[in-house]
Each structure stands twice: as C-alpha cells, then as structure tokens.
Amino acid sequence: MKAATRLGAAVTALGLVIVGLSALPAGAHQRDRGYSAEIRRASYGVPHITATSYANLGFGVGYVQAEDNLCVIAEKVVTVYAERSRYFGATGPTDANVRSDLFFRKAIDDRTVQRLLDGRRDGIHSPSNDVRDQIRGFVAGYNSYLRRTGATKLTDPACRAKPWVRPLTELDIWRTTWASMIRAGSRALLDGIVAAAPPTATGPAAAQDAPGAAAVLAARDGAPAGVGSNAYGLGEAATANRGGMVLANPHFPWDGAERFYRMHLKVPGRYDVEGAALIGDPIVEIGHNRTLAWSHTVSTARRFVWHRLALVPGDPTSYYLDGQPRKMTTRTVTVQVPGPNGTVPVSRTFHDTHFGPVVVVPGTFDWTAGTAYAITDANATNNRAFDGWLQMGRAETVRDLNRVLDRYQFLPWVNVIAADARGEALYADHSVVPRVTDALAAACIPAPFQPLYASSGQAVLDGSRSACALGADPDAAVPGILGPANLPVSIRADYVTNSNDSYWLANPKAPLEGFSRIIGDERTPRSLRTRLGLDQVQQRLAGTDGLPGRGFTADRLWQTVFGNRVYGGELVRDDLVALCTAQPTGTASNGASVDLRAACAALARWDLHVDLDSRGAHLFTEFVLANGLRFADTFAVTDPVRTPRRLDTANPAVRTALADAVQRLAGIPLDARLGTVQTEPRGDRRIPIHGGRAEAGIFNMIVNNRVPGVGYPKVVHGSSFVMAVELGPHGPSGRQILTYSQSTNPNSPWYGDQTALYSGKGWDTIKYTDAQIKADPNLRTYRVGEGRHH
C-alpha cells in the first residue's frame, strides 16, 4: 500500500480552505486512517464526487451534504434520538413531538438498530463492509465540515448555534435509515403503538393520545402519506435511438427530512452512478450508470399485517397461542418534556408480542378484555437497503438488476422501473411484502375481516394459531416475506409505467395478474394520473401527441412530463360548462345560493393545462377537491385507460361541488393566471409554480394548501427530482432537475436556482462522462479530507 501523500490546500467553491490526505487503495477497510475525496461542483451546486474507496466516497458525500443541508440532517438525528420535545418544544404530554420521542426512545432502549448491525442475518451478509465503510466515511465527512465551520458560524439560520447541532455517530445514521425503512409500517402507526394500553376493569382504556382519522387512514393505506411518483421505462420499441430510456418523477415533500439531493458518486472501476438520494443517505437511490437507469414509485403493497389476539380471561396482557397462554412483554420508557418550570418526565408502557407491538386504532382495532391487535412490520428488520442500492448501481442491464432485486429484496415500499442500453425495460414490485398468500388469507383471516382484505389488502390474521404465522418462501431473502416467484415483474422491449396504482397495468398489452391481494388490486379502475401517464406513452408511440415523429427522445420525454395536461379537464370540462350554462345558479354544501356564471366563463376559456399562463386551472382543481368529478359511465376492464369518461351531469353533487369551489376561492379571481396564485417562496421572491393535483389527472403533480383570499403560496409536495435519461453506445445523456433546489440554506447560492429553472420548464443536462462534466462552465474542483486520527 502506498504511503499517504499530503495534498495541498484547495479553495472550495464556498471559499473554505481544506487540507486533504490521499485515500486508501480500493477495497481497504478503513477506520481512522484518513479520508480524501475530490469534489467537482457543477452548475446548480451538484457535486461529482470521486474517491478511491467507499469510505472516502462516503466522506465526500457527508462533507458536501453538510455544506448544503446540515440542518436537515441534524434534525433527522434529533428525531431518531428521541429529543424533539427537548429541542423543538411540546404543548403537553400528548403533543406529536412527545409521541415521536416515546416511540423512538423505545427503539433506543430495545437496542433495535444495534441488533440489526450484528452482521450476517438469514444468510445475507448485510450490512456489508463496503456499506459500513461508506456510512463511517459519511459521518466523518459531516463531522469534518461541522468541526471546520463551527456550529456558531453556520450560515443557515435554521440551526446556527443551536444546541441540537452536534457531531454525528455511525449509529445516528443507521437509526435514520431504520426510520425510513418503517415509514409505511410501524412508523405510520406510531400513534397507535404509543397509545396502546390494556382495558380497565370497566371497559377499554381511554388512550389519551389515541390516533385520530389520520392514523386510521394510515392503517388502511399501503403507501406512506405525502409521497408518490410517476416513472416510465422505455425499451427499444419506444425510443428513437433504439436504446433504453427512463423517466424519474418522484413526488416527495419540498421541505423537511425527505428532500432529495442530487449527486454523482464514483469509485473508479467499482461504482459510477449519477442521480439523487434522500438527504442524509450516502448512496444514489434513483439514477443511472453508463448502461442502466432506474427510478422508484411508491408501491401499493402493504408493509405490515395485523394479528388478532385472543386474550386470557382476566389478564388482558396475556394471549393464547395454540391454546397456551403467552405473556406480553412490556417496556416503560421516559422522555423529558419542557414544562413551565423546567422539564418534566413523561412515561409510557409499551406492550409487545412475539408478532410485534400491540396497536390501537379506536373503533377499528380496539384493545378490549377479550381481544387485542398486534402488527408484524416486515421492514422492521430490513437492514439490506444500502447494499441493495449499491448493487443496483453496479448492475449493467435490467436482467442484472432483476437478479439484485431477487437476491436482496431490500426495497422498503417502492417499485422499480428501469431500462438499459440494450433496449429492454423492466417493471418490478420486488418490495418487502409480508408473506400473505391466497391460501393463508383464506385459512387465517377471520370472516369479519375478509371484506377488508378483499377491498384494501389489509390482512388481519388469526393470532391464536401458529399455523397462521407468515412462514417462509423458499426463494425469499428472509423469512416472513413473499419471495421473488410471488412478486410481479415484467421485462419488455416497448414500455412499462407506474403512477402509484398497483402493478396490474404496468403495460396494458400484458396486464400482470394472479398475485396476492396484499400486493395490490387487479382489474379495477385506475387513477386519472395513471390513465394520463399511459395515454401519453400511447400517443407518443402512435405519433398523435402533436410532436414530430414517433418514439421518445430525451427532449420529447421532457415535453411529455411538463406538458401539464389535465386529463380530468379534457374528459369533463365541456360537459361541466354546458351544465352550469344551463343552470347558472348552484347551491353550496352550506346551503348558500351561488352564482356560477363567472365560473362557467372561466372554465370555458381555460386551456385545459396547468401552465403558468393557464387561467381558471385552480377553479377546476377546487371543483375536483370538492368531489365534483363524478362519472356517469362505468369502468370497463376491456378499456381500462379510457373508462370511465363521461361527467354525471344529472347528479346534483356536481353542481354543488362547483358552487363550493367558487366559495372556496372568494377573494381570488376565478380566471387568474395559475402562476399568480400558485407560488413558492425563496427569500424575498415568490417563484411561480406550474403543475397541479393528481386528483384532477395531472402528471406533473404539485400539492399545496389553499390560503383563503390569497391562493396557494407554498408547495407541500410534488415533482422533486425529475430525470429523463437516454442510454446508448456513447453513454447516458438527457435532462434533470431538482425542483426545490439543492440546498435548504437561504444563504446558499443553490437555494432557489433550480426552482426558478423549474418555473420556466428549464433543465440541467446529464453530466456523467468526464467530457460532460468538464464542459460545465461553472465547474469548480476542490478536495476534502482529513489526516490520521490518534
């Protein structure tokens, strides 16, 4: 091994002076031996990081993410360290911060994450040494930046000099990773886990912080709240150059812990991937290498199952299994909550079974003297994710990628849509799904819960019989989950798509059918966004979309994404205008009479898009949100993309919804340009935002809250990292953008630049090869590193 060589000081793009030390040879296991990485900052602050080991690569990622988003990472750690109440306050013992702290405090006291890091589990060596090195390097890079800058000199006011900003440990990052894995499982039911308490002698316990409607919805919804996505995988039959193409269009929050971060990571000869990851993650999760590109969409599959427990009479904390009583285990945890005279302790006792934690959802899953409900979260022991994404980045074809998915089964709650340079496209829901087969469902879901399973995929199993345990598929990565043979996958030469409906219609020419209901539904109506996504592909391939030629190029794919069609408007606008023209007065839900003439005029002039200059688009959105989009015809399984399509003008609820929409927009011109009422703040600027709600059938999804009399002044979530990548013999090319920009720091040069770019439907180019990177006129190169620690 060559001796480490001292590098000269380099001035970074931010004016920081950094002294580096050369890296270890590839493959060396690195601890306290020094770190070094080369950073090439391209336009919009996107870092291209090159290092000679995974530890050094992690160091570079940790350093640049701290430069741009230190406050986001620090707050994520506060959450999983169960200190939100301490640092961000609480209104009382039932505050959301307190509930979060109690949940994560239990995980800390149980040493949940430490037990996942023990090494080989169920035949898979995960996390691998490469991933452990990358996490170790990430922590060292973050800490290096924090140490050099100092908490009191951070430029981001969100966390400058805050007591919750501290150096990280590796365990901190593993805890944030675990929290992400369980987002659609036990974390979605956090309130119900915290609230669960045995009944009193006179009836069910009155849990003071029992979950409300949001938790009930979470219990019935397989997807994490607030996230979604569109994606296309295009094969040789769908592209102009006969190579593969991928559209990535995840819909994620524009603020907080789930923002994406663009980056390009390279360990020469071992890993070379450009794309994006959630802030605080050290590996690219959506992106491309030289010959393969992929994206993720949120899957409909359920991540946990319920077990109905038959309790021992007189002892509601014991339950029967095969006729024998078993005692629940308990753990009492305590967190410190700010009070009027300092901090006060708040304690809660949690109850666990061999299935998992007891959960209460009042009115649906109550804890009574005779019955309780526990869940098994299939992702609670998922420690395979970073290894899976690392191997995805090394795959060269979609068939290689499919083998990675089969081997690791690591995706917590997302599908994969991919394509390769050979011209093959792949769709797969190879996510972590509890092993509820049709046979198990028929034998073990009690009759009262069979309709719930049929309608939603929620499985409530008989917890009193060991025969109703999840069991093990022979090809599964771990016990308790469906193996690859029981999961939907399609490899095609034309195309696959997904927009958060189930796997069924990934390609209408060959519907995927015959899979367990827990994964998703089949032969049922698709959302308007799914239908628009399919219609756009079909029109492009037929050459009927108004663009020249047939087949996709990166340019035409970009125009497809940001064409901003409103499919619901295309279907019903004319009928709606005819209805309100004939009956110009409507009655709102509150009984008020509403003049609809101005609304009719605005809708008649609307261009059926959600562009910045579209007038009346927000009126149609409010009509849809008021539940006005009701169809007169029925869904036809033989024509799933185009049915239903006729407005039910005979239904009085349609006119009521339009009247409600007019009332909601009081003080806001009904024919206003969308860009004047839908904006995103960046400093003292208000950037106009195009796009709109999925419920209206909009592909470029933007979700925001209406402020009465003002409009929609802040995006909540929607299009985030958008990538249209074209693969071919000369490497990848195409377009990409991070809609909300690279940094959360208002003093960063990269705080709003891509947001303004998005507003104008602009883009940044794919920069993967050295030639592409060097051609960037704003390129700045520097090294980051640290010497040996003693």
Side-chain angles (χ1 to χ4, degrees):
M1 184 174 68
K2 293 182 179 179
T5 304
R6 178 70 62 182
L7 298 172
V11 179
T12 77
L14 298 181
L16 301 174
V17 178
I18 301 168
V19 177
L21 195 69
S22 73
L24 295 173
H29 195 60
Q30 182 163 350
R31 181 190 294 274
D32 298 336
R33 298 180 183 177
Y35 299 93
S36 177
E38 179 188 75
I39 314 296
R40 290 184 286 181
R41 285 270 193 178
S43 294
Y44 308 105
V46 179
H48 299 256
I49 306 169
T50 302
T52 55
S53 74
Y54 286 109
N56 290 318
L57 187 67
F59 184 90
V61 175
Y63 199 100
V64 297
Q65 287 199 18
E67 284 184 308
D68 297 336
N69 295 292
L70 185 143
C71 297
V72 175
I73 300 171
E75 185 173 344
K76 289 177 70 170
V77 171
V78 169
T79 297
V80 300
Y81 210 70
E83 293 186 322
R84 292 197 64 84
S85 301
R86 175 183 176 186
Y87 292 119
F88 305 133
T91 58
T94 63
D95 185 89
N97 280 343
V98 178
R99 301 196 302 270
S100 173
D101 288 346
L102 289 166
F103 177 85
F104 284 108
R105 184 76 252 170
K106 180 183 185 282
I108 292 170
D109 291 351
D110 283 346
R111 296 179 55 82
T112 298
V113 174
Q114 290 94 319
R115 287 187 280 111
L116 293 180
L117 299 176
D118 288 343
R120 182 173 295 275
R121 296 178 55 84
D122 303 305
I124 294 178
H125 184 67
S126 185
S128 66
N129 287 341
D130 286 342
V131 166
R132 291 174 188 267
D133 278 349
Q134 200 159 359
I135 294 292
R136 184 177 301 114
F138 182 93
V139 168
Y142 175 101
N143 289 344
S144 178
Y145 175 78
L146 179 60
R147 182 166 52 250
R148 293 175 187 277
T149 305
T152 60
K153 295 182 180 179
L154 295 172
T155 61
D156 191 340
C159 65
R160 183 193 304 125
K162 300 294 186 182
W164 45 272
V165 175
R166 60 168 176 80
L168 300 183
T169 68
E170 294 165 44
L171 188 56
D172 292 333
I173 299 302
W174 286 117
R175 282 176 175 156
T176 63
T177 302
W178 178 75
S180 181
M181 294 298 103
I182 63 169
R183 192 190 188 291
S186 48
R187 193 173 177 189
L189 290 171
L190 180 154
D191 286 347
I193 294 172
V194 173
T200 65
T202 57
Q208 57 184 336
D209 54 358
V216 175
L217 290 174
R220 298 176 183 271
D221 188 354
V227 296
S229 305
N230 305 313
Y232 292 159
L234 306 173
E236 61 179 354
T239 62
N241 75 348
R242 310 294 290 178
M245 294 183 65
V246 165
L247 165 71
N249 181 207
H251 303 146
F252 268 60
W254 277 37
D255 296 285
E258 292 177 319
R259 282 174 53 120
F260 282 105
Y261 184 82
R262 288 177 56 193
M263 57 189 184
H264 177 192
L265 309 183
K266 184 175 182 178
V267 177
R270 303 184 69 194
Y271 184 83
D272 191 355
V273 179
E274 180 185 20
L278 296 180
I279 293 172
D281 290 351
I283 196 79
V284 171
E285 291 153 344
I286 293 176
H288 67 90
N289 57 30
R290 186 172 185 83
T291 60
L292 175 72
W294 67 91
S295 188
H296 297 304
T297 60
V298 176
S299 157
T300 58
R302 307 299 170 175
R303 306 304 158 188
F304 60 90
V305 295
W306 298 92
H307 304 271
R308 187 175 70 168
L309 308 176
L311 302 181
V312 174
D315 184 3
T317 60
S318 294
Y319 58 100
Y320 288 112
L321 183 65
D322 295 332
Q324 300 300 312
R326 294 183 70 139
K327 191 72 175 175
M328 296 177 186
T329 60
T330 61
R331 181 181 291 279
T332 300
V333 304
T334 301
V335 297
Q336 298 298 320
V337 177
N341 299 307
T343 61
V344 295
V346 173
S347 298
R348 185 59 46 84
T349 298
F350 293 83
H351 296 79
D352 286 296
T353 71
H354 73 289
F355 297 115
V358 179
V359 185
V360 168
V361 178
T364 306
F365 300 107
D366 290 303
W367 191 344
T368 68
T371 306
Y373 297 87
I375 65 162
T376 295
D377 183 344
N379 277 304
T381 56
N382 180 6
N383 65 346
R384 307 178 298 280
F386 285 151
D387 275 295
W389 274 306
L390 184 65
Q391 297 301 329
M392 283 183 72
R394 291 170 172 169
E396 296 180 354
T397 68
V398 296
R399 294 180 186 270
D400 291 341
L401 173 57
N402 197 46
R403 285 188 283 271
V404 170
L405 299 175
D406 286 354
R407 172 75 176 102
Y408 286 90
Q409 290 193 264
F410 66 96
L411 294 169
W413 32 267
V414 292
N415 304 293
V416 178
I417 292 84
D420 62 32
R422 300 193 310 184
E424 286 195 307
L426 172 143
Y427 164 84
D429 189 341
H430 267 42
S431 55
V432 176
V433 186
R435 186 186 169 276
V436 179
T437 63
D438 288 341
L440 184 70
C444 291
I445 297 179
F449 294 101
Q450 287 286 350
L452 177 65
Y453 182 67
S455 64
S456 70
Q458 281 291 307
V460 182
L461 302 176
D462 183 352
S464 67
R465 293 185 287 150
S466 59
C468 292
L470 292 175
D473 278 353
D475 60 339
V478 294
I481 66 174
L482 292 172
N486 289 319
L487 296 171
V489 61
S490 178
I491 297 177
R492 302 183 58 85
D494 51 1
Y495 69 91
V496 292
T497 80
N498 187 264
S499 292
N500 304 132
D501 276 320
S502 76
Y503 54 83
W504 176 56
L505 223 60
N507 186 304
K509 295 179 181 178
L512 295 166
E513 296 182 345
F515 295 92
S516 296
R517 180 62 183 86
I518 195 171
I519 309 174
D521 56 1
E522 301 171 4
R523 304 174 70 84
T524 57
R526 304 291 94 175
S527 73
L528 289 177
R529 179 160 56 92
T530 290
R531 291 168 60 185
L532 174 60
L534 289 165
D535 184 65
Q536 289 177 152
V537 174
Q538 293 171 349
Q539 286 194 3
R540 175 87 293 267
L541 299 188
T544 59
D545 59 356
L547 299 175
R550 299 187 182 189
F552 283 95
T553 63
D555 174 70
R556 291 169 190 167
L557 185 54
W558 201 258
Q559 292 179 60
T560 298
V561 178
F562 294 124
N564 284 336
R565 291 171 56 187
V566 183
Y567 192 60
E570 293 174 8
L571 294 177
V572 309
R573 188 274 304 270
D574 291 348
D575 286 342
L576 180 59
V577 169
L579 174 64
C580 64
T581 299
Q583 303 178 54
T585 302
T587 303
S589 297
N590 61 8
S593 179
V594 177
D595 187 339
L596 301 179
R597 287 175 296 179
C600 267
L603 290 171
R605 291 192 295 267
W606 174 40
D607 64 4
L608 299 177
H609 290 73
V610 280
D611 291 327
L612 297 182
D613 289 331
S614 297
R615 293 182 178 274
H618 58 301
L619 172 60
F620 186 76
T621 295
E622 291 296 341
F623 164 74
V624 172
L625 296 179
N627 200 22
L629 197 55
R630 297 166 182 257
F631 292 102
D633 54 333
T634 59
F635 167 72
V637 72
T638 55
D639 191 13
V641 179
R642 289 168 180 82
T643 60
R645 57 177 174 260
R646 289 190 296 106
L647 184 67
D648 187 3
T649 55
N651 190 331
V654 173
R655 286 174 61 241
T656 295
L658 185 57
D660 287 345
V662 173
Q663 282 193 333
R664 293 177 183 183
L665 292 172
I668 303 170
L670 300 181
D671 64 347
R673 292 173 56 249
L674 183 63
T676 65
V677 297
Q678 182 168 275
T679 59
E680 171 71 11
R682 284 294 183 272
D684 58 0
R685 294 182 295 165
R686 301 213 64 87
I687 299 176
I689 299 295
H690 53 89
R693 299 293 288 258
E695 296 92 330
I698 297 167
F699 202 66
N700 175 26
M701 191 171 84
I702 292 293
V703 175
N704 38 41
N705 296 320
R706 174 179 46 86
V707 176
V710 174
Y712 311 88
K714 180 75 186 74
V715 177
V716 176
H717 73 271
S719 291
S720 52
F721 172 62
V722 186
M723 175 184 74
V725 60
E726 190 169 4
L727 302 164
H730 303 296
S733 60
R735 301 175 175 183
Q736 55 191 335
I737 193 171
L738 189 63
T739 58
Y740 38 65
S741 302
Q742 191 81 339
S743 177
T744 54
N745 181 354
N747 292 309
S748 168
W750 305 308
Y751 176 61
D753 51 353
Q754 289 185 78
T755 311
L757 188 68
Y758 166 78
S759 179
K761 295 188 180 180
W763 64 86
D764 188 20
T765 57
I766 296 289
K767 297 181 179 71
Y768 182 78
T769 67
D770 277 347
Q772 290 168 335
I773 297 169
K774 290 176 180 177
D776 189 305
N778 300 307
L779 189 67
R780 299 290 184 271
T781 300
Y782 57 103
R783 295 194 72 86
V784 295
E786 281 195 349
R788 296 179 183 273
H789 301 293
H790 300 285

